[in-house]
Amino acid sequence: MGLTKDEFLALENKARELRKLTVDTVMWANGGHIGGALSATDILTILYYKYMNIDIANPKWEDRDRFILSKGHIGVGFAPVLADKGFFDKELLKTYNHTYSKLGMHLDKNKVIGLDASTGSLGHGLSIALGMALGGRLQGKNFKAYCLLGDGECNEGSVWEAAMAVSHYKATNVITIVDRNKCMIDGRTEDVMSLEPFADKWKAFGFDVKTVNGHDMYALADALDYALKAEKKPVAVIADTFKGCGVSDIQDNYQYHYASVSAETAEKYKKQIDEYHDNRLKNQEKTNG
Amino acid sequence: MANLNYTMLDAEKMSTAEYYGKVLCDLAAKDPRVVGLSADLAKSTKIGALAKDFPDRIFNFGIAEQNMFGAAAGMAEAGLIPFTSTFAVFASMRALDQFHTDICYQNMNVKVIATHAGLSFGQAGSTHHCTEDIGIMRTMANCRVIVPADGMETANAVIAAYENDGPFYIRINRGYDMPVYRDTDYGFELGKAVQLAEGTDLTIIACGACVARALAAAKELESDGIRARVLNMHTIKPIDKEAIEKAVIDTKRIITVEDHNIIGGLGSAVAETVTEFGKACVMRKLGVPDTFSIIGLHEDLMSEYGYDSNGIVKTAREIMNVTIEEDDDWDDDDF
């Protein structure tokens, strides 16, 4: 399928917009998981604006593609996507974390329209996605269950229980994506608990692995196209990313796993996001002409 | 209640879990959404009965309970009605985070039928006993908890779980239970205790394997001239407050009996109602006395810890001798 130039430009623009909306949401929420939210922005953008087969008017449509945010702590980065898609009013983002708000740090599917699972405790998402995929298959439905995991999350044994089963059941309708930003709360993944050789681990569990630059829309599109065509082996996309991607003050710094942002800082971060996306576009044009 | 023709003849031949397997097959035949999930215990839990007629609707997840519970939540979201079985100790503890977050918090239509509960797998030791699960599971919002007294009641409980949307935890024993009911048609109702014997001297409130023991104890107490009411409190949550309050008013003496730690289970649930009711009542909780059990046969362990029929009789005699202060004797001026 790939991306046309227009699609690419639209996605780039959307990712820039959503990064800025994420920063604002962190400000409104008086703090949030900004680092891991910004590392995942491009993945969320391409899924929700290119790949996911959903119906905004019918959020519970039985045949819709599912998306499970296994790294459930990045609600501040995901709620803006659902709001921007039109599942709920963007104004709601301004109530984030407020008492009685529908939006909290970890999103609740019984409160947030468009959300397919309540996540937050790590290592759960891939199992839920597998269940949805097996349920879909048994009922002759063709939907996909996309699951976005964090890399630190892959310390959890339950991720590997799920990986073993996805592979055992040849659940190629599960599309596994890992946001490999190489940071977790206490430090860098390789310092806290080594994950490497990470791709080999997934391969050993029976996956076909595609490692791509998680901030390159063309590369992500190629990997997702590949995963969607899989028939024999499920595919795991390892998206190499930077924590805090787009905000030079915090990028690739594990200490910005969670942070609060003042109005002034938010303005500064948003300027940095513009600079980042301007450069990214220029570099992309140089590469692809 | 579901036109299932189970009789005493079945009771003699079938273990409690076999009732479950049979009912599940009946439900699966009626409803294509019913599926079974196992973690390498399809045979022991009898959920494997589905394999014969519905091979594509039984999923084995291997020895990976966390994944099984998460997948059950996903299947429910996709429109299926997953029945998920493993031993109670693993269902309630090994995969509890998934049960809490993926199933209860999201209010998914998942039924957990946990086998080998209490001390019913007595010789296996405390790694395979489960005397904590009622306490754990009744603190899970959205979750209903049933402890059936025997095979017939297991059939009713499984059907009730199927008929009512949302998470259920049903706790059954390994092997054979002493039959309490001759058939399934005795008026089982979710959240309503079944009165099995009438009496006004004291009330024995029991669940699971202890119901048959409570009935035997009540019979023996008759020879002392003590008339014991026996309540089968099969549903621990929501608990039947009305039946408990009535027992307080009518008998002023309550003994709870359960195959579970005396902390957190049936006894605690009953005590919560009694204290909130605020009327004078003598209460004793029988069960495993907050200890990891010795190994042995289920029967012997119940006897060891004083919650077999002899233990119930002994406790009943004791509390009949306790004097209850009348409310009138209380003088607010003393405080």
Side-chain angles (χ1 to χ4, degrees), chain A residues 260-271:
Chain A
S260 47
V261 173
S262 67
E264 201 184 330
T265 310
E267 287 315 306
K268 186 165 81 159
Y269 283 7
K270 285 191 279 184
K271 260 187 208 144

Side-chain angles (χ1 to χ4, degrees), chain A residues 60 64 66 106-111 116-124 126-132 134-136 138-139 141 143 157-158 161-162 165 168-169, chain B residues 32-35 56-61 63-80 94 97-99 101-102 105-108 142:
Chain A
K60 294 269 171 202
R64 73 188 186 281
R66 268 66 166 180
H106 304 96
L107 302 175
D108 177 351
K109 98 185 232 281
N110 290 322
K111 296 201 181 106
D116 291 323
S118 310
T119 51
S121 180
L122 295 172
H124 288 221
L126 193 56
S127 301
I128 298 175
L130 170 63
M132 290 173 176
L134 293 177
L138 184 65
Q139 297 170 100
K141 295 182 183 299
F143 66 76
S158 54
E161 287 187 7
H168 174 81
Y169 281 107
Chain B
R33 297 172 301 165
V34 170
V35 293
D56 59 336
R57 286 159 65 187
I58 173 87
F59 296 86
N60 204 328
F61 286 90
I63 309 164
E65 294 79 6
Q66 297 180 75
N67 182 47
M68 174 171 72
F69 275 37
M75 286 180 176
E77 204 286 327
L80 300 178
R94 186 61 183 253
D97 192 23
Q98 278 76 7
F99 187 71
T101 302
D102 304 347
Y105 177 43
Q106 308 194 49
N107 205 12
M108 301 312 296
N142 291 335

